[in-house]
Amino acid sequence: MSDLLPLVTQILKDKSLADIKDEFEEQKAKIRQLTAVEILCYNDNDDGDNGESRNNPPPFTRYAMGSFDEGGPASNPNLFAVPLSHSNGRFCPLAELRNCKICVGGGFPVCSLDDTMANRPYFEVILDDDDSMEENGPKYIRFCFCPTSTWLIVSLRNWPDDHWRENINIRGSDMEEEMPFLVDELALRFPEITVEFHEVCFVQRHLPAPLQRLLS
């Protein structure tokens, strides 16, 4: 029996190290979830079921994702900017923009782009009217959500230059709440337009205290 003791000791040690590693990875996954910033596009037929079969598709599509621990101060020192990257290179069709939400902490919505929702917070749409952008390049739009002054920076791909300039001249860069123009008019006329999500900016004082401690 004494000859087996070193072997048994080593097995128990290896098992203990494996358990510690598993627990460490589990905690890392929880932190990733808690610090996640996502752009989720909810399906019109969402019934709350998370099934992913062909007959029962998932309730949302994740178009972009970032993390608070990858963010930092924006050009405005009062804002904390979180860069976003796209899931598998997929871009959101403009027609689906109204179904998108900014979510944090593993899927909790903090801002919605649905302008038809009752009692929704006000948000403003601002077109970038910079004439120096490259020919046929992306057209940048900023969404400002009140009352927390959360900003979402996106760009529209495949929006023809002449039509963009025409609307800048007619409407100006400050479009207030013109989601109907983007989703109900522009997306119908140019169904090839897609949305790329670049960045979400939060007012630092509005971040939850536990999150501020985690980022400090």
Side-chain angles (χ1 to χ4, degrees):
M1 180 66 181
S2 59
D3 293 339
L4 295 176
L5 185 59
L7 177 60
V8 172
T9 301
Q10 185 62 43
I11 291 174
L12 292 175
K13 181 180 179 181
D14 291 346
K15 185 177 186 302
S16 177
L17 289 174
D19 290 342
I20 293 174
K21 182 179 179 181
D22 290 344
E23 183 177 352
F24 178 70
E25 293 299 327
E26 182 180 346
Q27 293 302 318
K28 281 176 60 179
K30 288 181 179 179
I31 291 175
R32 282 197 299 270
Q33 182 182 54
L34 290 173
T35 59
V37 179
E38 302 170 291
I39 305 296
L40 304 182
C41 181
Y42 287 82
N43 299 334
D44 291 332
N45 59 349
D46 178 14
D47 58 4
D49 195 329
N50 289 323
E52 298 188 10
S53 67
R54 178 177 298 180
N55 296 327
N56 191 19
F60 61 79
T61 300
R62 179 184 294 105
Y63 278 117
M65 185 174 182
S67 175
F68 279 105
D69 59 9
E70 295 174 356
S75 55
N76 180 337
N78 294 318
L79 298 177
F80 187 88
V82 178
L84 302 174
S85 59
H86 276 253
S87 304
N88 302 319
R90 298 177 63 187
F91 298 103
C92 175
L94 180 57
E96 296 180 10
L97 185 60
R98 186 176 275 138
N99 296 335
C100 291
K101 293 178 173 62
I102 302 174
C103 297
V104 299
F108 296 97
V110 293
C111 296
S112 173
L113 287 162
D114 187 354
D115 60 316
T116 66
M117 188 170 60
N119 300 320
R120 65 174 179 81
Y122 169 86
F123 66 85
E124 187 176 5
V125 184
I126 304 171
L127 284 176
D128 190 340
D129 57 357
D130 184 5
D131 286 329
S132 65
M133 68 176 61
E134 61 181 286
E135 185 177 357
N136 295 319
K139 314 301 188 292
Y140 283 83
I141 297 179
R142 290 170 289 161
F143 295 90
C144 180
F145 299 87
C146 297
T148 58
S149 296
T150 299
W151 292 81
L152 172 65
I153 293 88
V154 311
S155 64
L156 301 188
R157 303 156 62 93
N158 306 315
W159 187 357
D161 287 351
D162 54 349
H163 191 266
W164 167 75
R165 290 194 181 91
E166 176 185 340
N167 279 275
I168 285 290
N169 292 333
I170 295 175
R171 300 172 180 271
S173 60
D174 189 343
M175 299 176 65
E176 296 186 349
E177 296 187 68
E178 294 206 33
M179 282 293 285
F181 164 71
L182 293 174
V183 176
D184 301 327
E185 296 181 32
L186 189 62
L188 289 178
R189 182 168 180 179
F190 302 104
E192 66 275 16
I193 293 180
T194 56
V195 183
E196 181 175 359
F197 301 96
H198 294 279
E199 190 175 73
V200 180
C201 296
F202 302 88
V203 176
Q204 299 221 36
R205 69 176 183 273
H206 290 156
L207 293 176
L211 187 56
Q212 292 190 34
R213 290 195 296 268
L214 181 65
L215 298 174
S216 61

